[in-house]
Amino acid sequence: MFGFKDMPQSASSLFTAYASFATTAMMIRSMTTNLLPPQLISLITSIFFYFFPPKSTLITTLVIDQKCDFLNNQLFEAAELYLRTKINPSMDRLKASKTPRQNKVALSMVKGQTIVDHFEDIRLQWGFVAVKKEKRNEIIEEKCHYELLFPKQSLDRVVNFYFPYILQRAKEIKALDSVAKLCSSSCSYDDESLGGKRQGKWGSVRFEHPATFDTLALDPDLKKMIIDDLDRFVKRKEFYRKVGKAWKRGYLLYGPPGTGKSSLIAAMANYLKFDIYDLDLSDVYSNQSLRNSLLSTTNRSILVIEDIDCSVNLQNRKFEEKFEPPKSRLTLSGMLNFIDGLWSSCGDERIIIFTTNHKEQLDPALLRPGRMDVHIHLGYCSSKMFKVLATNYLGAEVTGHRLYEEIKGLIDCINVTPAEIAEELMKSDEVDVVIEGLANCLKLKRKERKAGDEKRDRILEENKAER
């Protein structure tokens, strides 16, 4: 006869038994979610747990959703990174991925799998759950969450010590990763090396743009100013809190096309190791849609809105009558409210960058400090910028070429963009061929400019004579 002495003698053995049971239940639920109607699943679950009730007095299950209301759940993101370090050979199903710049293959969990972790004397079991929502046989969204099982008496220690440990470890792991993410609201997939495909406002790929401040063709004084401003910004968390300002910084990059605005943004992201969120305003149809998109961005990120002068609703109000009526409900006030209104406090250590080719067409309300704190003019190539380009493309020895000084003089007297210079520097592997071709190109531009100036002066004289 079964007696008391035959029963398990410790909570540990009971936990092990229940963990095994919960794992099986989780796998069954994952398999049936996409195969059976929700009503049938609910009925089967009710019957199963009626006959085999879980020992709720011994086990606590915490659900960690991907989202907290409008915002990303930092604990979910931290767990996603942390659990990649806990992959072990006993797992029979994993996701593997590698991008060109990764040194090794990255492994991550798939739905239905579990990972056992130990923190001090607590045994914890993680499960990854992904549920697809369908409408008329079309997958609309896949919602993901983690389920964490542990002994009920350890709840306080898990919340107060284990979770802070995971958040700190995730921060350290991310700091070691030299590649940020490039996120787009029009991208429907996510970088699988970060723990799995996720649907939502933003999809992402690894940002592997090679631009750095060392390779950037920029005036040395301007480059130093930008680096110093970035360094000062990331170190002033307590200062921003003390003066009552949201921890954010706004930049306006303006100048002719081809002057390096996109390359500067890439260099800033690589320098800070911040993720980039590329927001296309043509995909935003209302102020609410804009707010939802921006609230989905993470801390330590750069929000980029390129060619803001091309957005009808954000044009300078003096020019409104020149444009057709707006097709969306996105307004200037909606943009301003998120940049420096009450919603701007939702998130820390964020940089907002606007680019434009025509600064004069922007509404003055967008340009004031607090919205666009730093205005950076990126103009035509100078002789100092040419030195950086020539050294990057041809090597330091190019400065001794017989045509080098002549080219510097030509560049300073005509309007030529860094992009045009770079294109000429790529036309051959022979230094002499490249330098001579560049010199001839610049001489031709100088001749065309002189002819244009003479034609303009002639027309002005003719008009003056007619009066």
Side-chain angles (χ1 to χ4, degrees), residues 15 18-19 22-23 26 29 56 58-65 73 75-76 78-79 82-83 86 109 113-119 122-129 144-152 154-167:
F15 174 75
Y18 178 71
T23 300
M26 185 180 298
R29 179 177 58 184
S56 57
L58 297 176
I59 300 298
T60 291
T61 300
L62 290 183
V63 176
I64 303 171
D65 288 322
N73 188 344
L75 188 55
F76 180 94
Y82 172 74
L83 291 175
K86 296 298 177 177
M109 295 176 67
Q113 292 295 298
T114 60
I115 288 180
V116 174
D117 191 22
H118 292 85
F119 179 74
I122 308 173
R123 185 181 188 277
L124 307 106
Q125 180 172 290
W126 290 88
F128 182 66
V129 181
C144 305
H145 69 266
Y146 288 104
E147 292 187 356
L148 178 61
L149 284 70
F150 55 87
K152 194 175 187 69
S154 302
L155 177 61
D156 289 342
R157 293 166 63 195
V158 169
V159 173
N160 296 323
F161 297 99
Y162 182 58
F163 285 164
Y165 167 74
I166 290 177
L167 291 167

Side-chain angles (χ1 to χ4, degrees), residues 92-280:
D92 56 4
R93 184 176 173 81
L94 295 169
K95 182 181 294 182
S97 61
K98 182 183 182 302
T99 62
R101 293 199 178 185
Q102 283 183 289
N103 294 325
K104 59 181 181 180
V105 174
L107 301 178
S108 56
M109 295 176 67
V110 296
K111 62 180 180 180
Q113 292 295 298
T114 60
I115 288 180
V116 174
D117 191 22
H118 292 85
F119 179 74
E120 297 177 351
D121 60 340
I122 308 173
R123 185 181 188 277
L124 307 106
Q125 180 172 290
W126 290 88
F128 182 66
V129 181
V131 180
K132 295 179 180 178
K133 286 192 171 183
E134 298 186 6
K135 184 177 181 181
R136 296 180 181 177
N137 298 323
E138 179 183 356
I139 297 175
I140 304 300
E141 187 177 8
E142 185 175 63
K143 289 195 173 182
C144 305
H145 69 266
Y146 288 104
E147 292 187 356
L148 178 61
L149 284 70
F150 55 87
K152 194 175 187 69
Q153 66 271 19
S154 302
L155 177 61
D156 289 342
R157 293 166 63 195
V158 169
V159 173
N160 296 323
F161 297 99
Y162 182 58
F163 285 164
Y165 167 74
I166 290 177
L167 291 167
Q168 180 59 34
R169 283 288 294 123
K171 185 177 180 180
E172 295 169 357
I173 294 167
K174 190 171 184 179
L176 293 175
D177 190 352
S178 59
V179 181
K181 290 194 300 180
L182 175 60
C183 310
S184 172
S185 56
S186 59
C187 180
S188 61
Y189 57 94
D190 193 64
D191 185 351
E192 296 187 358
S193 68
L194 296 178
K197 186 178 293 185
R198 298 181 302 188
Q199 303 292 332
K201 293 294 181 183
W202 302 94
S204 69
V205 294
R206 291 175 69 86
F207 182 68
E208 299 183 341
H209 197 292
T212 66
F213 280 112
D214 291 333
T215 62
L216 198 63
L218 202 63
D219 181 84
D221 293 335
L222 178 58
K223 186 184 299 186
K224 183 178 185 304
M225 183 277 289
I226 296 172
I227 293 175
D228 290 344
D229 191 76
L230 293 173
D231 289 338
R232 184 165 54 252
F233 168 71
V234 297
K235 294 176 182 177
R236 303 183 87 182
K237 178 179 181 179
E238 295 304 321
F239 173 80
Y240 276 85
R241 183 174 298 176
K242 181 179 70 173
V243 300
K245 289 177 64 68
W247 191 14
K248 64 179 181 61
R249 192 76 167 154
Y251 292 83
L252 172 66
L253 310 184
Y254 66 99
T259 52
K261 293 184 283 292
S262 296
S263 294
L264 176 55
I265 294 171
M268 294 169 72
N270 286 329
Y271 181 75
L272 297 174
K273 295 183 181 179
F274 278 19
D275 294 335
I276 293 181
Y277 287 84
D278 181 24
L279 180 63
D280 186 352

